[in-house]
Amino acid sequence: MNILDKIIAHKKQEVALLKKEVMVEKLVKSPNFNRTPISLKKSLLKIGSSGIIAEFKRQSPSKGVINDTASVVEVTKGYMEANIAAQSILTDLDFFGGNVLDIMQARSVNDSIPILRKDFIVDGFQIVEAKAIGADVVLLIAACLTKEELKNYGQLAEDLGLDVLYEVHNQEELDKLNLDHKIIGINNRNLKTFEVDLEHSIQLANQIPDSCIKVSESGLCDPRIITGLKEYGFQGFLIGENFMKTENPGLACKEFINQIK
């Protein structure tokens, strides 16, 4: 089994147990369910947007522990001061050290910038849960979902007022999607081997219509890379480890954004 297969198998068990413990009716009654989500699309397209989607991530299967001392509240405040376009928060516990409380805590100090729930979604329950904990955007990874699941989960998210970041890694995964007016994230990291290759963003960019918003994810460690990717039509840039590996992720993010030409 590769890393992705292992994560997905574990996630399906985890969600099955969670569904026995937590009723959807309870999620729908949570206070966050009535709030109007903040649009990732609008935030990325806004004039003067930095395009940076800054991530809160404690660890990863490929890097191990990245930062296990940072406070999600402090990092959120720092990211907001840095003028990010959106915030991404990992909620997977076993492989990434995150949890749903991280989003709830970030939301308590962030009422103006969209929050992406970064997780491996394998069930519609997780999308309802995302809305209940205060997320504005969900991630759907084409590598671990069928064409039908991508369509159905995407529709559920939209029905709940959430934006969707559809993540692809190659042409085969891109072909699973109806590309009309979607937010498409191209992951430069192969989720099966965890190797990073920035050429992925560039090669796939030409296959994505202009009606879509293009987001490049992973391996973006230099402001000059952002400037270069903008020439290929990218409007969003998801960065986590580069900021989180420092003592002050918010400050690292601010310095990075200030260097983007």
Side-chain angles (χ1 to χ4, degrees):
M1 276 178 110
N2 60 48
I3 301 171
L4 182 62
D5 290 341
K6 205 178 284 185
I7 292 172
I8 295 306
H10 187 277
K11 186 61 62 177
K12 285 181 175 174
Q13 291 180 330
E14 182 189 308
V15 175
L17 285 172
L18 189 62
K19 285 170 77 173
K20 287 178 183 174
E21 294 171 12
V22 181
M23 294 288 140
V24 169
E25 291 78 13
K26 187 182 175 188
L27 294 176
V28 173
K29 286 176 182 168
S30 71
N32 278 316
F33 221 83
N34 293 322
R35 64 176 282 276
T36 303
I38 304 161
S39 169
L40 176 61
K41 277 185 183 174
K42 286 180 183 172
S43 187
L44 291 174
L45 294 175
K46 195 168 64 180
I47 292 169
S49 171
S50 68
I52 300 296
I53 304 168
E55 189 156 272
F56 183 84
K57 175 163 69 172
R58 293 186 180 88
Q59 65 189 56
S60 78
S62 59
K63 300 286 181 176
V65 173
I66 297 165
N67 189 333
D68 59 359
T69 58
S71 142
V72 68
V73 168
E74 292 309 312
V75 172
T76 298
K77 288 176 180 174
Y79 280 166
M80 290 176 74
E81 284 173 20
N83 192 31
I84 59 170
Q87 187 177 9
S88 168
I89 298 178
L90 263 303
T91 57
D92 174 81
L93 175 62
D94 292 86
F95 296 91
F96 290 88
N99 60 70
V100 295
L101 286 176
D102 289 335
I103 287 187
M104 295 170 86
Q105 288 177 353
R107 184 90 281 164
S108 71
V109 293
N110 169 10
D111 60 1
S112 58
I113 293 169
I115 295 178
L116 162 69
R117 180 192 186 172
K118 185 99 173 280
D119 210 322
F120 297 81
I121 286 179
V122 294
D123 193 295
F125 178 89
Q126 293 162 284
I127 299 171
V128 179
E129 183 184 49
K131 169 111 175 173
I133 60 176
D136 307 287
V137 193
V138 290
L139 179 74
L140 294 180
I141 303 172
C144 55
L145 296 169
T146 64
K147 187 174 182 177
E148 198 65 21
E149 285 171 332
L150 286 162
K151 183 185 170 192
N152 291 342
Y153 294 161
Q155 189 60 57
L156 172 60
E158 285 179 32
D159 289 346
L160 293 173
L162 302 171
D163 272 349
V164 179
L165 174 60
Y166 292 90
E167 180 176 296
V168 299
H169 185 261
N170 55 35
Q171 187 65 49
E172 186 187 353
E173 291 167 14
L174 193 63
D175 290 341
K176 289 184 183 180
L177 299 171
N178 166 10
L179 293 175
D180 201 29
H181 295 90
K182 300 278 195 299
I183 308 173
I184 308 289
I186 301 176
N187 197 342
N188 304 305
R189 178 174 284 116
N190 183 326
L191 289 178
K192 293 175 180 173
T193 63
F194 271 67
E195 291 170 356
V196 173
D197 183 357
L198 285 169
E199 286 297 316
H200 278 299
S201 281
I202 294 163
Q203 287 166 359
L204 278 180
N206 297 328
Q207 308 303 317
I208 299 172
D210 291 340
S211 69
C212 293
I213 294 174
K214 300 175 199 171
V215 176
S216 183
E217 307 170 18
S218 303
L220 309 176
C221 55
D222 188 322
R224 288 172 296 186
I225 294 172
I226 307 301
T227 307
L229 286 170
K230 282 184 177 181
E231 291 179 18
Y232 289 90
F234 284 91
Q235 293 151 306
F237 312 92
L238 197 149
I239 305 173
E241 185 191 321
N242 196 53
F243 305 144
M244 290 300 297
K245 68 184 181 185
T246 67
E247 281 186 21
N248 188 333
L251 183 62
C253 179
K254 190 172 190 173
E255 289 171 353
F256 187 96
I257 287 173
N258 287 342
Q259 290 176 64
I260 299 171
K261 299 287 185 283

